[in-house]
PDB file of all heavy atoms in Angstrom:
ATOM      1  N   ALA A 913     118.674  84.914  81.841  1.00  0.00           N
ATOM      2  CA  ALA A 913     118.045  86.221  82.071  1.00  0.00           C
ATOM      3  C   ALA A 913     116.794  86.390  81.219  1.00  0.00           C
ATOM      4  O   ALA A 913     115.817  87.005  81.649  1.00  0.00           O
ATOM      5  CB  ALA A 913     119.039  87.341  81.766  1.00  0.00           C
ATOM      6  N   GLU A 914     116.804  85.858  80.008  1.00  0.00           N
ATOM      7  CA  GLU A 914     115.662  86.012  79.104  1.00  0.00           C
ATOM      8  C   GLU A 914     114.604  84.931  79.314  1.00  0.00           C
ATOM      9  O   GLU A 914     113.414  85.213  79.309  1.00  0.00           O
ATOM     10  CB  GLU A 914     116.143  85.977  77.643  1.00  0.00           C
ATOM     11  CG  GLU A 914     116.990  87.165  77.246  1.00  0.00           C
ATOM     12  CD  GLU A 914     116.231  88.475  77.365  1.00  0.00           C
ATOM     13  OE1 GLU A 914     115.094  88.552  76.881  1.00  0.00           O
ATOM     14  OE2 GLU A 914     116.776  89.416  77.971  1.00  0.00           O
ATOM     15  N   ASP A 915     115.056  83.666  79.504  1.00  0.00           N
ATOM     16  CA  ASP A 915     114.115  82.537  79.514  1.00  0.00           C
ATOM     17  C   ASP A 915     113.901  81.930  80.892  1.00  0.00           C
ATOM     18  O   ASP A 915     113.032  81.080  81.064  1.00  0.00           O
ATOM     19  CB  ASP A 915     114.602  81.443  78.559  1.00  0.00           C
ATOM     20  CG  ASP A 915     114.673  81.937  77.119  1.00  0.00           C
ATOM     21  OD1 ASP A 915     114.084  82.991  76.829  1.00  0.00           O
ATOM     22  OD2 ASP A 915     115.331  81.283  76.299  1.00  0.00           O
ATOM     23  N   GLY A 916     114.717  82.327  81.887  1.00  0.00           N
ATOM     24  CA  GLY A 916     114.529  81.846  83.248  1.00  0.00           C
ATOM     25  C   GLY A 916     114.632  80.341  83.362  1.00  0.00           C
ATOM     26  O   GLY A 916     115.520  79.704  82.794  1.00  0.00           O
ATOM     27  N   VAL A 917     113.661  79.744  84.060  1.00  0.00           N
ATOM     28  CA  VAL A 917     113.689  78.311  84.307  1.00  0.00           C
ATOM     29  C   VAL A 917     113.656  77.526  83.003  1.00  0.00           C
ATOM     30  O   VAL A 917     114.190  76.411  82.910  1.00  0.00           O
ATOM     31  CB  VAL A 917     112.504  77.919  85.220  1.00  0.00           C
ATOM     32  CG1 VAL A 917     111.179  78.192  84.548  1.00  0.00           C
ATOM     33  CG2 VAL A 917     112.582  76.466  85.623  1.00  0.00           C
ATOM     34  N   ALA A 918     113.072  78.101  81.944  1.00  0.00           N
ATOM     35  CA  ALA A 918     112.976  77.388  80.661  1.00  0.00           C
ATOM     36  C   ALA A 918     114.339  77.207  80.005  1.00  0.00           C
ATOM     37  O   ALA A 918     114.471  76.422  79.062  1.00  0.00           O
ATOM     38  CB  ALA A 918     112.045  78.150  79.718  1.00  0.00           C
ATOM     39  N   ALA A 919     115.362  77.900  80.498  1.00  0.00           N
ATOM     40  CA  ALA A 919     116.699  77.787  79.904  1.00  0.00           C
ATOM     41  C   ALA A 919     117.388  76.481  80.290  1.00  0.00           C
ATOM     42  O   ALA A 919     118.456  76.162  79.752  1.00  0.00           O
ATOM     43  CB  ALA A 919     117.565  78.968  80.340  1.00  0.00           C
ATOM     44  N   HIS A 920     116.801  75.712  81.210  1.00  0.00           N
ATOM     45  CA  HIS A 920     117.492  74.528  81.746  1.00  0.00           C
ATOM     46  C   HIS A 920     116.863  73.217  81.281  1.00  0.00           C
ATOM     47  O   HIS A 920     117.060  72.179  81.903  1.00  0.00           O
ATOM     48  CB  HIS A 920     117.524  74.597  83.273  1.00  0.00           C
ATOM     49  CG  HIS A 920     118.257  75.790  83.803  1.00  0.00           C
ATOM     50  ND1 HIS A 920     119.616  75.959  83.669  1.00  0.00           N
ATOM     51  CD2 HIS A 920     117.795  76.906  84.436  1.00  0.00           C
ATOM     52  CE1 HIS A 920     119.966  77.111  84.216  1.00  0.00           C
ATOM     53  NE2 HIS A 920     118.886  77.700  84.676  1.00  0.00           N
ATOM     54  N   TRP A 921     116.100  73.245  80.178  1.00  0.00           N
ATOM     55  CA  TRP A 921     115.605  71.990  79.605  1.00  0.00           C
ATOM     56  C   TRP A 921     116.639  71.477  78.597  1.00  0.00           C
ATOM     57  O   TRP A 921     117.051  72.205  77.690  1.00  0.00           O
ATOM     58  CB  TRP A 921     114.268  72.215  78.900  1.00  0.00           C
ATOM     59  CG  TRP A 921     113.100  71.721  79.707  1.00  0.00           C
ATOM     60  CD1 TRP A 921     112.467  70.532  79.559  1.00  0.00           C
ATOM     61  CD2 TRP A 921     112.440  72.391  80.782  1.00  0.00           C
ATOM     62  NE1 TRP A 921     111.442  70.414  80.480  1.00  0.00           N
ATOM     63  CE2 TRP A 921     111.407  71.542  81.240  1.00  0.00           C
ATOM     64  CE3 TRP A 921     112.626  73.622  81.423  1.00  0.00           C
ATOM     65  CZ2 TRP A 921     110.563  71.881  82.286  1.00  0.00           C
ATOM     66  CZ3 TRP A 921     111.791  73.967  82.464  1.00  0.00           C
ATOM     67  CH2 TRP A 921     110.777  73.096  82.887  1.00  0.00           C
ATOM     68  N   ARG A 922     117.085  70.233  78.757  1.00  0.00           N
ATOM     69  CA  ARG A 922     118.133  69.688  77.885  1.00  0.00           C
ATOM     70  C   ARG A 922     118.161  68.163  78.029  1.00  0.00           C
ATOM     71  O   ARG A 922     117.482  67.583  78.886  1.00  0.00           O
ATOM     72  CB  ARG A 922     119.488  70.294  78.258  1.00  0.00           C
ATOM     73  CG  ARG A 922     119.998  69.896  79.640  1.00  0.00           C
ATOM     74  CD  ARG A 922     121.224  70.704  80.052  1.00  0.00           C
ATOM     75  NE  ARG A 922     120.847  72.095  80.280  1.00  0.00           N
ATOM     76  CZ  ARG A 922     121.250  73.091  79.495  1.00  0.00           C
ATOM     77  NH1 ARG A 922     122.034  72.853  78.459  1.00  0.00           N
ATOM     78  NH2 ARG A 922     120.877  74.327  79.739  1.00  0.00           N
ATOM     79  N   TYR A 923     118.981  67.534  77.209  1.00  0.00           N
ATOM     80  CA  TYR A 923     119.185  66.086  77.310  1.00  0.00           C
ATOM     81  C   TYR A 923     120.107  65.763  78.473  1.00  0.00           C
ATOM     82  O   TYR A 923     121.119  66.419  78.698  1.00  0.00           O
ATOM     83  CB  TYR A 923     119.811  65.532  76.031  1.00  0.00           C
ATOM     84  CG  TYR A 923     118.796  65.044  75.038  1.00  0.00           C
ATOM     85  CD1 TYR A 923     118.459  65.814  73.932  1.00  0.00           C
ATOM     86  CD2 TYR A 923     118.166  63.814  75.211  1.00  0.00           C
ATOM     87  CE1 TYR A 923     117.522  65.375  73.014  1.00  0.00           C
ATOM     88  CE2 TYR A 923     117.229  63.362  74.307  1.00  0.00           C
ATOM     89  CZ  TYR A 923     116.916  64.138  73.208  1.00  0.00           C
ATOM     90  OH  TYR A 923     115.983  63.692  72.309  1.00  0.00           O
ATOM     91  N   LYS A 924     119.735  64.738  79.230  1.00  0.00           N
ATOM     92  CA  LYS A 924     120.584  64.220  80.297  1.00  0.00           C
ATOM     93  C   LYS A 924     120.239  62.746  80.473  1.00  0.00           C
ATOM     94  O   LYS A 924     119.065  62.395  80.626  1.00  0.00           O
ATOM     95  CB  LYS A 924     120.342  64.992  81.603  1.00  0.00           C
ATOM     96  CG  LYS A 924     121.255  64.523  82.730  1.00  0.00           C
ATOM     97  CD  LYS A 924     120.859  65.173  84.045  1.00  0.00           C
ATOM     98  CE  LYS A 924     121.707  64.598  85.170  1.00  0.00           C
ATOM     99  NZ  LYS A 924     121.259  65.078  86.492  1.00  0.00           N
ATOM    100  N   ASN A 925     121.271  61.913  80.466  1.00  0.00           N
ATOM    101  CA  ASN A 925     121.070  60.461  80.587  1.00  0.00           C
ATOM    102  C   ASN A 925     120.079  59.941  79.541  1.00  0.00           C
ATOM    103  O   ASN A 925     119.168  59.162  79.836  1.00  0.00           O
ATOM    104  CB  ASN A 925     120.577  60.094  82.001  1.00  0.00           C
ATOM    105  CG  ASN A 925     121.564  60.510  83.065  1.00  0.00           C
ATOM    106  OD1 ASN A 925     122.777  60.521  82.822  1.00  0.00           O
ATOM    107  ND2 ASN A 925     121.064  60.852  84.240  1.00  0.00           N
ATOM    108  N   LYS A 926     120.236  60.431  78.313  1.00  0.00           N
ATOM    109  CA  LYS A 926     119.445  60.003  77.151  1.00  0.00           C
ATOM    110  C   LYS A 926     117.957  60.352  77.247  1.00  0.00           C
ATOM    111  O   LYS A 926     117.145  59.851  76.475  1.00  0.00           O
ATOM    112  CB  LYS A 926     119.606  58.486  76.927  1.00  0.00           C
ATOM    113  CG  LYS A 926     121.034  58.084  76.593  1.00  0.00           C
ATOM    114  CD  LYS A 926     121.115  56.604  76.296  1.00  0.00           C
ATOM    115  CE  LYS A 926     122.559  56.208  75.946  1.00  0.00           C
ATOM    116  NZ  LYS A 926     122.679  54.763  75.644  1.00  0.00           N
TER     117      LYS A 926
END
Side-chain angles (χ1 to χ4, degrees):
E914 293 298 312
D915 298 345
V917 63
H920 299 292
W921 257 262
R922 66 190 68 248
Y923 267 102
K924 183 188 175 187
N925 300 329
K926 297 184 179 180

